[in-house]
């Protein structure tokens, strides 16, 4: 081919591959900071995409504020007050033209700043609204003084980038702008081969990048804020494609390694099954067979089991563990929280003790001698180890690891899974991997989110479960709900009261739980009420959980830390606050904490009226069905384009711009294009993966 040398020349001159240090003004310190964000090359700046936008194109009247919204308001300073409550603080009260008041709070400030905020000054503030002791407030809002002629303020859609300590938004935006000057012409930037790209009718990558970083003055603001602008869709498509390619590559690489073929005698399995107080469901049996078949092969199993909460995934995992142990290999079981790992430890101890198998425990809090002993055991006689992330640390080494089981996968990334896989006995033989997740997801999504895994579904609940009755009740009727708890506790039942917030703040969530706890202690005298939240020490959490499990606590006020996997069969009533703000999947997960025993259970969704149409549909969906797969399909429909639920999903993957639920309609095309590219355009695949997921080094050296 005549053009080949020319092509080669162009590629080696690809400005995107130059180091960030080649940009004017980037010295070693900044370079190191950027590296922490995974930004090493110029193109990493191009693809460092805004997390969201701050809408400075509109001003919201103070009387229209709602807690948790991020908005811009404008008003005149009425009062400034410096005080000291726990720590120094500055309170600034502003009122807008309608004379509504808003408090601005600063906990760190300079004297000059106080002077600039004198009464009568007109301010334009941008921040998140919360409801405080004196009505609405903003903590540390960004603000600009509005000059007499109305000037001095920006009116635009300001991108907000993911960043790190020591690198402010402004500085990062300037760097990105500099990098964008080096964007090559459109044709050179594209990696998706033209014949594949053209039928998709997408914007050019170059235009898309320029638009998301610097929205034009006449851009469709609403679309950009919702993440459905054609530029965002263009980038989302490419990102999904790159991830898909990355996962397919990964799978192929892992599959090219050898794994020990594990068969066992089946004796331990039979003993366990005989000792269980129940019979496996048909779905459990089917999935157990699928796993056994995979493990008997000499290529590594990569299997995901997804089944609703309470569908009985644990025992299926236990059966898999026995196959490996009987074949003389070790098993590692990892859970995302200490609470969950401990629950597994208890289960496996009970089940395996009669078989003479004693699990080793390894979590972050296992320190000193105990840790040493655990580590020694892993290099020696240990057959099964149960723990948390602690299992992935470099120092942890196994004698003969044959199977890795990871519970509640969406909390771990692909890379973490790989870290455990690398702990196989020797470089030649890698362990089998079994992943369990309680988030049922629709098939189309599963094909992308888990493109590197084979998927089994446990789509049947054990018999005898009474479905959870779900009702939605306005917070105005909170007192009735409290009465209901009193009655339930009077009958010896237990209840959860879950405090949720939409903001990603453990601290605020913990505060809300503390307040509710105090309130319930007042109104439910004589009933023991516990409290558990993410800011407590693991030991405290465990103590509270044990008290709840033993019945010493009747009502457990909790934050979403209880979301995953915790099992207290006697708890048959759940109250969820702010239900209107949560996504379907999360509501369903939380609800799964009740209905685990044979007691008739109920779930009360407390909401703050008025309900939006979307929230009403979500609550209805929950009332109508308990089936996680049905709910997942419904969730996908509801969240189709147009719906914006929070800025970042608690996604199964970390995406820069794509959102599996929102962008689900693209997945079929992504899979098609990926298929052709893997077969015919290996080089372009490499470059796409490098561009979007390249710095996740684990992808590269799987
Ligand atoms: P999950 O899939 O949410 O992890 P678990 O494995 O914790 O569910 O199982 C939930 C409960 O159901 C446990 O108490 C478990 O012992 C019980 N269980 C599991 N399988 C069956 C079955 N086939 N019949 C009856 N109970 C079962
Ligand atoms: Mg579980």
């Amino acid at each position: 081919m005549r053009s080949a040398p020319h092509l080669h020349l162009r590629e080696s001159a690809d400005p995107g591959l130059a180091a960030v240090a080649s940009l004017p003004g980037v010295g070693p310190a900044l370079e190191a900071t950027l590296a922490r964000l995974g930004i090493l090359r110029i193109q990493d700046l191009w693809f460092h995409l805004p997390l969201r936008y701050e809408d400075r194109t509109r001003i919201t009247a103070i009387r229209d504020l709602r807690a948790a919204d991020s908005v811009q308001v404008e008003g005149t300073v009425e009062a400034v007050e410096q005080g000291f409550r726990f720590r120094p603080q500055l309170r600034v009260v502003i009122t807008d033209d309608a004379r509504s008041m808003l408090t601005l709070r600063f906990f760190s400030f300079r004297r000059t700043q106080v002077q600039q905020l004198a009464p009568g000054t007109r301010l334009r503030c941008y921040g998140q609204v919360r409801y405080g002791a004196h009505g609405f407030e903003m903590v540390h809002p960004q603000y600009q003084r509005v000059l007499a002629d109305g000037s001095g303020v920006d009116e635009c859609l300001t991108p907000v980038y993911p960043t790190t300590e020591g690198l402010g938004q402004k500085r990062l935006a300037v760097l990105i702008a500099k990098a964008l000057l080096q964007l090559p012409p459109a044709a050179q930037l594209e990696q998706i081969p033209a014949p594949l790209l053209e039928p998709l009718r997408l914007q050019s990558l170059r235009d898309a990048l320029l638009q998301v970083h610097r929205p034009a003055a006449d851009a469709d603001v609403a679309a950009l804020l919702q993440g459905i602008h054609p530029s965002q869709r263009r980038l989302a498509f490419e990102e999904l494609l790159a991830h898909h390619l990355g996962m397919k590559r990964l799978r192929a690489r892992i599959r090219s390694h050898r794994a020990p073929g594990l068969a066992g005698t089946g004796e331990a399995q039979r003993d366990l099954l005989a000792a269980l107080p129940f019979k496996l469901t048909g779905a459990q049996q089917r999935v157990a067979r699928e796993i056994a078949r995979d493990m008997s092969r000499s290529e590594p199993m990569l299997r995901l089991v997804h089944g609703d909460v309470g569908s009985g995934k644990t025992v299926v995992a236990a059966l898999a563990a026995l196959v490996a142990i009987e074949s003389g290999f070790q098993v590692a079981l990892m859970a995302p929280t200490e609470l969950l790992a401990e629950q597994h430890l208890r289960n496996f101890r009970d089940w395996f003790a009669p078989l003479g198998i004693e699990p080793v425990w390894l979590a972050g809090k296992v320190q000193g001698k105990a840790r040493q002993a655990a580590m020694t055991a892993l290099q020696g006689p240990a057959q099964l180890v149960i723990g948390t992330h602690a299992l992935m640390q470099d120092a942890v080494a196994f004698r003969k690891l044959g199977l890795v089981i990871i519970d509640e996968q969406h909390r771990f990334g692909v890379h973490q899974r790989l870290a455990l896989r690398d702990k196989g006995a020797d470089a030649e033989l890698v362990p089998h991997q079994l992943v369990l997740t309680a988030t049922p997801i629709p098939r189309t999504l599963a094909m992308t989110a888990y493109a590197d895994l084979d998927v089994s579904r446990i789509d049947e609940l054990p018999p005898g479960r009474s479905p959870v009755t779900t009702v939605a009740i306005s917070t105005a009727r909170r007192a009735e709900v409290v009465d209901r708890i009193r009655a339930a506790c009077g009958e010896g039942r237990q209840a959860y009261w879950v405090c949720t917030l939409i903001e990603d703040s453990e601290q605020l969530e913990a505060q809300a739980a503390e307040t509710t706890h105090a309130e319930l202690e007042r109104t439910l005298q004589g009933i023991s009420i516990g409290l558990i939240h993410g800011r407590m020490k693991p030991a405290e959490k465990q103590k509270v959980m044990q008290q709840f499990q033993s019945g010493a606590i009747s009502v457990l006020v909790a934050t979403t830390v209880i979301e995953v996997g915790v099992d207290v069969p006697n708890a048959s009533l759940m109250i969820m606050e702010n239900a209107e703000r949560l996504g379907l999947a999360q509501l369903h997960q939380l609800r799964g904490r009740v209905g685990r025993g044979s007691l008739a259970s109920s779930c009360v969704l407390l909401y703050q009226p008025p309900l939006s149409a979307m929230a009403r549909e979500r609550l209805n969906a929950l009332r109508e069905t308990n089936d996680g797969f049905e709910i997942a399909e419904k969730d996908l429909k509801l969240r189709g384009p147009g719906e914006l639920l929070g800025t970042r999903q608690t996604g199964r993957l970390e995406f820069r711009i794509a959102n599996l639920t929102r962008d689900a309609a693209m997945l079929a095309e992504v899979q098609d294009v990926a298929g052709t590219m893997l077969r015919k355009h290996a080089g372009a695949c490499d470059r796409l993966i490098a561009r979007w997921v390249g710095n996740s080094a684990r992808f590269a050296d799987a």
Side-chain angles (χ1 to χ4, degrees):
M1 274 226 295
R2 202 161 272 177
S3 62
H6 174 59
L7 254 180
H8 178 75
L9 204 74
R10 265 216 320 223
E11 267 164 32
S12 60
D14 182 348
L17 297 180
V20 274
S22 67
L23 279 181
V26 181
L30 184 53
E31 194 182 359
T33 308
L34 289 169
R36 270 190 289 160
L37 289 170
I39 298 173
L40 307 173
R41 299 157 301 185
I42 301 289
Q43 73 174 12
D44 299 332
L45 282 168
W46 300 341
F47 290 93
H48 194 72
L49 303 177
L51 273 178
R52 56 190 169 84
Y53 295 91
E54 289 177 350
D55 183 2
R56 306 268 169 91
T57 60
R58 272 183 316 169
I59 292 175
T60 305
I62 292 176
R63 64 160 178 267
D64 294 336
L65 296 182
R66 289 179 315 181
D69 284 352
S70 289
V71 289
Q72 179 168 252
V73 295
E74 189 172 307
T76 307
V77 176
E78 286 286 315
V80 184
E81 180 190 299
Q82 277 192 73
F84 194 93
R85 234 172 78 85
F86 310 120
R87 46 185 169 156
Q89 58 167 296
L90 177 66
R91 256 186 70 206
V92 178
V93 177
I94 62 169
T95 57
D96 65 4
D97 299 339
R99 306 297 301 156
S100 322
M101 273 181 12
L102 173 70
T103 303
L104 316 178
R105 252 178 227 289
F106 299 88
F107 296 106
S108 71
F109 47 91
R110 290 178 311 262
R111 186 137 19 112
T112 49
Q113 203 173 348
V114 182
Q115 286 156 2
Q116 284 174 354
L117 291 171
T121 311
R122 195 147 179 89
L123 292 182
R124 190 173 283 191
C125 319
Y126 185 93
Q128 193 174 40
V129 181
R130 67 174 204 187
Y131 200 72
H134 307 284
F136 285 120
E137 56 181 41
M138 282 184 180
V139 176
H140 279 258
Q142 303 167 26
Y143 65 87
Q144 293 173 301
R145 291 193 296 168
V146 187
L147 304 181
D149 61 356
S151 71
V153 293
D154 312 333
E155 283 182 0
C156 60
L157 216 48
T158 311
V160 179
Y161 293 102
T163 186
T164 183
E165 219 175 294
L167 183 60
Q169 288 293 336
K170 287 225 170 86
R171 189 142 170 245
L172 184 52
V174 168
L175 272 175
I176 291 172
K178 278 187 196 164
L180 287 172
L181 291 176
Q182 308 204 16
L183 269 183
Q188 198 181 326
L189 194 63
E190 297 295 353
Q191 289 301 340
I192 306 175
L196 295 177
L197 189 60
E198 271 153 23
L200 301 174
R201 303 185 179 285
L202 292 169
Q203 222 174 46
S204 86
L205 182 60
R206 190 172 197 281
D207 290 347
L209 281 174
L210 290 171
Q211 180 75 0
V212 299
H213 284 295
R214 275 185 259 148
D218 61 348
D220 181 346
V221 172
L224 277 167
L225 288 173
Q226 291 178 67
I228 55 169
H229 189 278
S231 302
Q232 289 163 316
R233 294 177 61 76
R234 166 67 176 90
L235 292 166
F237 182 88
E238 189 166 308
E239 180 171 37
L240 287 169
L241 178 62
H243 269 268
H244 198 74
L245 292 170
M247 305 241 281
K248 287 289 183 205
R249 275 278 168 81
L250 188 64
R251 179 188 167 85
R253 286 213 200 97
I254 296 177
R255 279 304 179 87
S256 71
H257 292 123
R258 276 166 36 84
L262 306 175
T265 61
E267 202 176 317
Q269 286 205 355
R270 272 193 300 279
D271 288 351
L272 173 63
L273 289 174
L276 287 176
F278 50 77
K279 236 176 105 318
L280 293 190
T281 62
Q284 283 172 315
Q285 291 178 23
R286 171 172 43 79
V287 173
R289 275 198 306 273
E290 286 167 355
I291 295 169
R293 198 183 51 218
D294 284 358
M295 286 174 65
S296 69
R297 295 186 177 144
S298 58
E299 59 181 21
M301 165 168 77
L302 293 168
R303 187 166 289 278
L304 171 85
V305 172
H306 68 157
D308 224 329
V309 276
S311 61
K313 295 181 288 291
T314 321
V315 68
V316 171
L319 291 169
L322 289 178
V323 173
I325 293 170
E326 266 191 338
S327 316
F329 281 79
Q330 294 174 303
V331 178
L333 168 58
M334 182 167 79
T337 66
E338 206 140 310
L339 217 62
L340 269 177
E342 276 165 0
Q343 185 167 296
H344 281 313
L345 183 69
R346 276 195 298 277
N347 266 326
F348 279 77
R349 270 203 181 126
D350 289 350
W351 287 340
F352 285 8
L355 309 173
I357 300 166
E358 171 62 24
V360 171
W361 171 239
L362 189 60
K365 73 169 174 217
V366 179
Q367 292 295 339
K369 280 209 178 105
R371 182 174 202 87
Q372 208 42 57
M375 305 277 255
T376 312
L378 292 187
Q379 306 235 29
Q383 293 169 296
L384 168 65
V385 58
I386 297 178
T388 55
H389 297 79
L391 284 176
M392 291 182 306
Q393 284 159 5
D394 286 343
V396 178
F398 292 83
R399 172 176 52 87
K400 207 175 171 190
L401 184 60
L403 171 65
V404 170
I405 303 172
I406 298 181
D407 195 10
E408 309 298 357
Q409 197 261 346
H410 59 289
R411 300 275 174 110
F412 295 108
V414 176
H415 314 129
Q416 289 171 306
R417 259 195 281 136
L418 288 171
L420 257 184
R421 189 226 51 200
D422 287 350
K423 294 190 180 293
D426 53 67
E428 298 299 303
L429 238 40
V430 306
H432 296 284
Q433 283 185 58
L434 180 63
V435 176
L436 313 175
T437 174
T439 314
I441 57 173
R443 279 183 205 281
T444 43
L445 294 192
M447 284 181 69
T448 296
Y450 305 120
D452 57 332
L453 300 171
D454 296 309
V455 177
S456 295
R457 297 177 148 211
I458 304 189
D459 47 9
E460 182 184 351
L461 285 184
R465 296 274 163 81
S466 45
V468 182
T469 316
T470 303
V471 292
I473 294 183
S474 149
T475 44
R477 293 165 57 198
R478 203 176 161 100
E480 284 171 44
V481 176
V482 175
D483 285 343
R484 203 160 158 169
I485 297 186
R486 191 179 293 116
C489 293
E491 292 167 17
R493 305 186 345 175
Q494 289 172 283
Y496 288 105
W497 186 296
V498 186
C499 302
T500 66
L501 293 178
I502 42 168
E503 289 156 77
D504 224 2
S505 162
E506 250 187 17
Q507 186 184 348
L508 290 179
E509 204 178 56
Q511 273 171 10
E514 275 162 7
T515 309
T516 302
H517 179 250
E519 174 204 327
L520 291 179
E521 288 217 298
R522 257 198 323 278
T523 47
L524 289 173
Q525 286 187 7
I527 294 176
S528 66
I529 299 170
L531 171 66
I532 189 165
H533 58 67
R535 303 208 109 206
M536 286 161 55
K537 298 215 173 71
E540 295 174 272
K541 277 194 275 193
Q542 189 192 5
K543 190 159 147 242
V544 173
M545 220 46 227
Q546 275 165 354
Q547 289 172 330
F548 191 54
Q549 258 156 348
S550 72
I553 288 175
S554 303
V555 180
L556 183 61
V557 177
T559 59
T560 44
V561 295
I562 57 148
E563 185 183 342
V564 183
V566 177
D567 200 8
V568 181
N570 192 47
S572 58
L573 176 59
M574 167 168 288
I575 320 295
M576 260 187 258
E577 284 196 78
N578 296 329
E580 78 279 10
R581 293 172 160 188
L582 297 186
L584 258 180
Q586 200 185 5
L587 286 166
H588 177 66
Q589 278 263 333
L590 284 165
R591 180 174 62 174
R593 300 305 110 224
V594 292
R596 305 208 119 201
S598 49
L599 290 173
S601 300
S602 39
C603 173
V604 176
L605 306 170
L606 272 181
Y607 66 85
Q608 186 81 51
L611 277 182
S612 70
M614 198 61 77
R616 186 178 306 270
E617 282 229 44
R618 279 201 297 272
L619 300 189
N620 277 340
L622 250 100
R623 294 205 327 234
E624 281 159 14
T625 180
N626 277 287
D627 180 329
F629 287 100
E630 237 177 79
I631 286 177
E633 296 287 353
K634 181 91 190 176
D635 199 15
L636 180 58
K637 282 205 199 90
L638 283 182
R639 287 205 247 176
E643 168 69 341
L644 174 79
L645 272 180
T647 41
R648 238 189 317 177
Q649 308 274 326
T650 45
R652 282 149 280 269
L653 292 172
E654 285 282 330
F655 287 116
R656 296 166 194 235
I657 193 163
N659 171 321
L660 278 184
T661 327
R662 187 189 60 212
D663 302 328
M666 297 181 188
L667 295 177
E669 279 166 350
V670 167
Q671 281 156 19
D672 272 0
V673 173
T676 312
M677 285 187 67
L678 283 167
R679 272 181 281 115
K680 296 193 187 151
H681 306 276
C685 291
D686 290 340
R687 287 188 291 274
L688 268 184
I689 295 170
R691 177 183 278 178
W692 287 94
V693 285
N695 297 330
S696 322
R698 311 274 345 170
F699 260 125
D701 56 32

